[in-house]
Amino acid sequence: MSTLEIKDLHVSIETEQGTKEILKGVSLTIKTGQTHAIMGPNGSGKSTLASTIAGHPRYNVTSGTITLDGENVLDMSVDERARAGLFLAMQYPVEIPGVSMTNFLRTAKTAIDGQAPALRTWTKDVKAAMQQLRIDADFAQRNVNEGFSGGEKKRVEILQLELFKPKFAILDETDSGLDVDALKVVSEGVNRAHAEGNMGTLLITHYTRILRYIKPDFVHVFVDGQVVEEGGPELADRLEEEGYDRYASGAGAATIAAAAAAAQA
């Protein structure tokens, strides 16, 4: 079993108005086999957490730690983090003109594993994964994400997830822009990867609809760069009914204060 541990993480960015703190002391522990859902309103810091774990250079860690099986993730380059077993499904996947899907997938797999996959087995695995994700076979010869719809880009992200087999998958609003059918297909892909029992999942979302298909073990509510409440799947059901407004009230402020006190205890 592997463990991804985040302790008292503070992260800032540089803006035209100066330095702005986004994450204000986030602590979270994920083990392989677990699914953690992070929910919260826009601008609460959810995507900042995902990008920081992946190593985006815009985000400056001012204090706190991220470790993977005891190894300091913050000392690793982006490619070293990928080889160590971290995978980010991006909220807005980018197009890569001039690079075919076939070349991209095999090159990335080779870089992650340190050796090229056996061609016959690899080709079979790619075709099978594409069929399950309902990606047309012609897409293998197209440039990565070039001219793809939003839903097609998200399916390609999950295609990578299934083929690369990371220890931990961070899914940054993978459900955004998906219709019901695409949401089911993408969720089934995540569940297949998770079913092997060797992957932990950090699922970032605004809404509960994806949690109908990907069942979380733990739910964490993010507000203003902090985890303000934690619970099981029932917490997501309550959020669907009540929304996030109560966390902006006096009661919400008290919850944040209590959470901070508990973290320091």
Side-chain angles (χ1 to χ4, degrees), residues 244-256:
Y244 301 107
D245 287 347
R246 71 190 187 91
Y247 296 105
S249 66
T255 301
I256 293 174

Side-chain angles (χ1 to χ4, degrees), residues 40 43 51 75 80 90 104 121 146 157 244 254 265:
S51 296
D75 283 344
E80 287 172 338
M90 293 185 287
F104 167 73
T121 304
E146 193 170 34
E157 293 289 285
Y244 301 107

Side-chain angles (χ1 to χ4, degrees), residues 152-227:
E152 289 165 346
K153 290 179 179 179
K154 294 300 178 72
R155 293 186 197 203
V156 168
E157 293 289 285
I158 304 307
L159 175 65
Q160 296 169 50
L161 171 64
E162 290 204 67
L163 294 171
F164 298 163
K165 303 184 185 305
K167 291 180 181 177
F168 292 96
I170 300 101
L171 310 180
D172 188 9
E173 297 193 31
T174 298
D175 53 335
S176 64
L178 298 182
D179 60 27
V180 174
D181 291 336
L183 180 63
K184 290 180 180 178
V185 170
V186 163
S187 298
E188 288 168 358
V190 175
N191 288 334
R192 280 193 300 272
H194 194 80
E196 296 184 5
N198 297 319
M199 185 180 82
T201 303
L202 182 62
L203 174 62
I204 296 170
T205 184
H206 288 298
Y207 308 109
T208 59
R209 64 177 193 150
I210 193 171
L211 303 184
R212 298 169 190 166
Y213 307 106
I214 302 174
K215 302 297 184 182
D217 300 297
F218 305 94
V219 175
H220 313 268
V221 183
F222 242 53
V223 176
D224 192 28
Q226 295 174 293
V227 176

